[in-house]
């Protein structure tokens, strides 16, 4: 079986499982086995592809034809250096999450529906990964949104947090920043849908603009203008063309189109200020979060940005780097004050996605492409494992997510503690763990871009500020992730009743955690047990799709050593602060936290961070409460109000027509003598007017 046929299995197997699950989930709980079996087929097929593909392979079929414009849009499968590793990551993580979900959601009332929705979600993400062009990527993109909508709203009938006694009893007294009246799965899925529609408007606008630009080129002889190969070959001619739109031409027009597509990536990958939907997506099952926040929905935006990389001009990359740096820093600051176990991971995801965009925005010449893509892969593994670990903790504590009620769980849940501990070390970038290889490469790329800007004497601060934000984020990440693990798993139990009943998940789920933990070790990605060795078996995969001039080896080595030194120092600072406050001096840590929340001026900083930089509240005030609610009231008043309104105008028009009709009825008796009389009267009246 060739690679394209194997990729068809990766697409078809989850889709079949989704259809079977959608039909039979109410009748039998065994749809879980159908989904797992289908996903196992997809994972084996993906592994066979990754071991067997030596050269890019593409197969397409015509779909939509416009003969007059010589355009034929196609659907199909493309396997290359970017799509094959991502396909493997998606398929294997999905299999692990499905196995874990059998234990986590056992006896849930919507049990079968979860597996059906999950399989559909995997099918949609696979369609994005193997898409041979931008149009199929957009179709899969929208299906990913539908899949996430179904999973986030899994418990759609759950009451808002303000009316949920379990939530109110479980939250700490200092909890703030979230609108509890709107915090439930139904509102969370709606918020994710609406926020992503804003980004997708940019995506489809950029898609249409690129189709117009490519198809209008003199050299375009027909075919699919949105196929990756056609798009990338057309970059030079588009930049040289005289096509104009809104005052943009040439490179400016290509920059505009690329940033419109990137707007869609900002929505899916929760980049500032579109990040507001992702924390509330935690209202879905934690195992759904494990796939949404690791290898599917949020990864789709980073994957798309890497896929369209040849289309992105230097100006577009500057904007992408700034968006990534701001997102990484803002989310990291918010994560430092979160009390909810899952919320810490949610903001950690946003921050790490910002890191990936920071790397991609640094540019191929600085090594940013390979750094961003490598972190996409490594982050998918350890973040999926961290969310599954969170699922184990929350299940063991009967739904409690407050870090303040945890402690000492390592003694009751040793396997979960080991796995999540490895994941935490990975995200911190500790030597020997996967993110030491990928995250440090991002910061090195950002620093390299500063050097390149200095060498040409232009845009130095435009490159330096994102690098500084990235370095600050490294310290913050070390603090809040260390804080989470130390508070939850070390020290004394803060709630003895919860601690007494805590336990590890079943053997199959433990196996999933430990396999993902093993894949979070650096040697898996570099092929060497030496954490400081250079190179990786993925070097060919991570090579930029454009030819770029490499930096001198000595200079590149110096920058990486410099970055490594700084990040290790910041790691020690963040971890040391967390260990001192929450392990060595827990009373001092508690007193410090109280002081930060209570006394000025630090309480202002805490309020600012705990209220999520007020971004969510500002957007809610302007759009949800302002434009939507109050604007809706104005429209309703203009339409149905008691004063001057459309309803009143229509009613008055109808009333006037009624009175005109009644007056006309006076002359419509149906008797010929009456009509003759009215006619004579009219004639006499006319004669009288003439004689006078």
């Amino acid at each position: 079986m060739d690679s394209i046929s194997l990729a068809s299995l990766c697409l078809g197997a989850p889709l079949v499982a989704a259809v079977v699950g959608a039909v039979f989930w109410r009748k039998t709980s065994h749809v879980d086995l159908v989904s797992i079996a289908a996903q196992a087929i997809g994972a084996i097929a993906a592994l066979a592809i990754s071991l067997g593909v030596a050269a890019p392979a593409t197969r397409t079929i015509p779909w939509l034809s416009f003969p007059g414009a010589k355009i034929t849009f196609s659907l199909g499968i493309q396997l290359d250096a970017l799509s094959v590793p991502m396909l493997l990551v998606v398929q294997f993580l999905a299999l692990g999450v499905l196995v874990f979900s059998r234990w986590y959601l056992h006896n849930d009332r919507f049990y079968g529906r979860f597996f059906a929705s999950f399989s559909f979600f995997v099918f949609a993400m696979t369609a994005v990964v193997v898409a041979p062009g931008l149009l199929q990527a957009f179709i899969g993109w929208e299906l990913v949104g539908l899949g996430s909508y179904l999973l986030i709203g899994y418990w759609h009938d759950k009451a808002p947090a303000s009316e949920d006694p379990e939530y109110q009893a479980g939250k700490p007294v200092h909890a703030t920043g979230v609108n509890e009246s709107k915090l439930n799965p139904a509102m969370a899925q709606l918020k994710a849908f609406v926020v992503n529609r804003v980004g997708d408007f940019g995506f489809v606008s950029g898609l249409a603009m690129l189709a117009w630009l490519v198809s209008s080129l003199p050299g375009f002889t027909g075919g699919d203008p949105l196929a990756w190969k056609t798009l990338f070959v057309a970059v030079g001619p588009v930049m040289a063309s005289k096509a104009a739109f809104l005052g943009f031409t040439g490179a400016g027009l290509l920059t505009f189109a690329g940033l419109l597509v990137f707007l869609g990536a900002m929505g899916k990958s929760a980049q500032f200020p579109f990040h507001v939907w992702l924390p509330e997506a935690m209202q879905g099952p934690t195992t759904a979060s494990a796939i949404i926040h690791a290898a599917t929905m949020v990864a789709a935006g980073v994957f798309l940005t890497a896929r369209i990389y040849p289309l992105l001009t230097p100006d577009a990359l500057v904007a992408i780097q700034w968006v990534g740096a701001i997102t990484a820093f803002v989310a990291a600051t918010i994560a430092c004050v979160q009390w909810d176990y899952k919320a810490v991971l949610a903001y950690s995801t946003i921050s790490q996605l910002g890191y990936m965009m920071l790397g991609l925005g640094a540019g191929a010449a600085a090594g940013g492409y390979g750094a961003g893509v490598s972190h996409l892969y490594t982050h998918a593994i350890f973040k999926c494992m961290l969310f599954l670990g969170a699922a184990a903790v929350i299940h063991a504590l009967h739904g409690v997510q407050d870090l303040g009620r945890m402690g000492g769980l390592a003694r009751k849940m040793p396997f979960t503690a080991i796995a999540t501990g490895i994941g935490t070390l990975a995200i911190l970038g500790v030597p020997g763990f996967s993110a030491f290889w990928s995250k440090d490469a991002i910061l090195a790329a950002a620093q390299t871009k500063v050097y390149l800007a200095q060498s040409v004497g232009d845009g130095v601060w435009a490159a330096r500020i994102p690098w500084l934000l990235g370095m600050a984020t490294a310290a913050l990440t070390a603090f809040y992730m260390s804080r989470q693990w130390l508070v939850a798993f070390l020290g004394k139990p803060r709630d003895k009743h919860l601690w007494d009943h805590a336990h590890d998940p079943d053997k199959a789920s433990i196996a999933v955690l430990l396999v993902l933990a093993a894949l979070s070790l650096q040697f898996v990605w570099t092929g060497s047990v030496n954490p400081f060795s250079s190179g990786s078996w993925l070097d060919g995969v991570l090579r930029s799709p454009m030819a770029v001039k490499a930096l001198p080896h000595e200079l590149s080595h110096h920058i990486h050593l410099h970055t490594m030194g700084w990040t290790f120092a910041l790691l020690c600072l963040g971890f040391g602060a967390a260990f001192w406050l929450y392990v060595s001096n827990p009373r001092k840590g508690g007193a410090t936290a109280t002081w930060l929340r209570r006394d000025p001026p630090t309480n202002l900083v805490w309020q600012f961070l705990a209220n999520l930089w007020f971004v969510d509240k500002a957007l809610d005030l302007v759009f949800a409460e302002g434009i939507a609610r109050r604007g809706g009231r104005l429209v309703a008043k203009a339409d149905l109000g008691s004063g001057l309104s459309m309803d009143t105008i229509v009613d008055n028009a109808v009333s006037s027509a009624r009175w005109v009709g009644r007056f006309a009825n006076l002359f419509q008796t149906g008797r010929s003598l009456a009509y003759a009389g009215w006619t004579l009267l009219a004639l006499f009246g006319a004669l009288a007017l003439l004689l006078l």
Side-chain angles (χ1 to χ4, degrees), residues 23-38:
V23 174
F24 295 107
W25 76 269
R26 292 181 184 274
K27 300 177 182 179
T28 176
S29 63
H30 294 309
V31 294
D32 59 347
L33 298 178
V34 175
S35 290
I36 291 173

Side-chain angles (χ1 to χ4, degrees), residues 74-331:
S74 302
L75 300 178
I77 292 173
Q78 177 169 316
L79 300 173
D80 56 19
L82 181 62
S83 60
V84 170
M86 192 67 198
L87 181 64
L88 185 63
V89 169
V90 170
Q91 297 295 322
F92 266 93
L93 287 186
L95 177 61
V97 174
L98 284 174
V99 171
F100 195 99
S101 296
R102 290 196 72 205
W103 167 79
Y104 181 70
L105 291 172
H106 183 62
N107 290 331
D108 188 88
R109 55 202 172 106
F110 299 131
Y111 180 78
R113 198 182 73 193
F114 173 86
F115 289 87
S117 301
F118 191 97
S119 293
F120 176 79
F121 197 34
V122 175
F123 157 74
M125 184 61 192
T126 304
V128 174
V129 171
V130 302
L134 194 58
L135 183 59
Q136 181 177 320
F138 180 74
I139 295 170
W141 186 271
E142 293 303 307
L143 294 177
V144 165
L146 174 59
S148 69
Y149 182 86
L150 295 173
L151 288 173
I152 294 169
Y154 176 73
W155 291 304
H156 57 276
D157 55 352
K158 186 177 180 181
S162 58
E163 302 172 15
D164 185 353
E166 291 185 6
Y167 180 89
Q168 295 300 321
K171 72 175 185 179
V173 293
H174 57 77
T176 186
V178 177
N179 187 344
E180 295 180 357
S181 64
K182 297 182 179 179
L183 186 63
N184 69 327
M187 290 299 294
Q189 68 179 168
L190 180 61
K191 188 170 187 176
F193 178 82
V194 171
V195 172
N196 277 279
R197 294 293 69 72
V198 178
D200 290 354
F201 173 76
F203 190 163
V204 75
S205 299
L207 181 150
M209 184 176 293
L210 288 169
W212 163 62
L213 286 172
V214 175
S215 62
S216 62
L217 290 173
F220 182 74
T221 58
D224 188 350
L226 295 177
W228 300 128
K229 185 177 180 180
T230 305
L231 281 172
F232 300 157
V233 169
V235 169
V238 166
M239 294 181 72
S241 72
K242 295 182 179 180
F245 181 74
L246 296 178
F248 294 100
T249 60
L253 192 55
L254 188 61
T255 299
F256 186 46
L259 288 178
L260 282 174
V261 177
F262 176 67
L263 194 65
M266 287 179 65
K268 277 286 190 290
S269 288
Q271 297 297 286
F272 183 89
F274 298 138
H275 66 284
V276 293
W277 69 266
L278 191 146
E280 295 186 19
M282 298 293 104
Q283 292 297 301
T286 308
T287 48
S289 300
I291 199 72
I292 290 175
H293 295 77
T296 52
M297 184 163 177
V298 298
V302 179
F303 180 84
L304 177 69
T305 305
R307 176 58 85 188
I308 65 169
Y309 210 69
L311 300 175
L312 299 173
T313 64
D315 289 340
L317 290 176
V318 169
I320 291 170
Q321 186 184 30
W322 272 82
V323 168
I326 292 170
T327 301
F329 179 74
V330 169

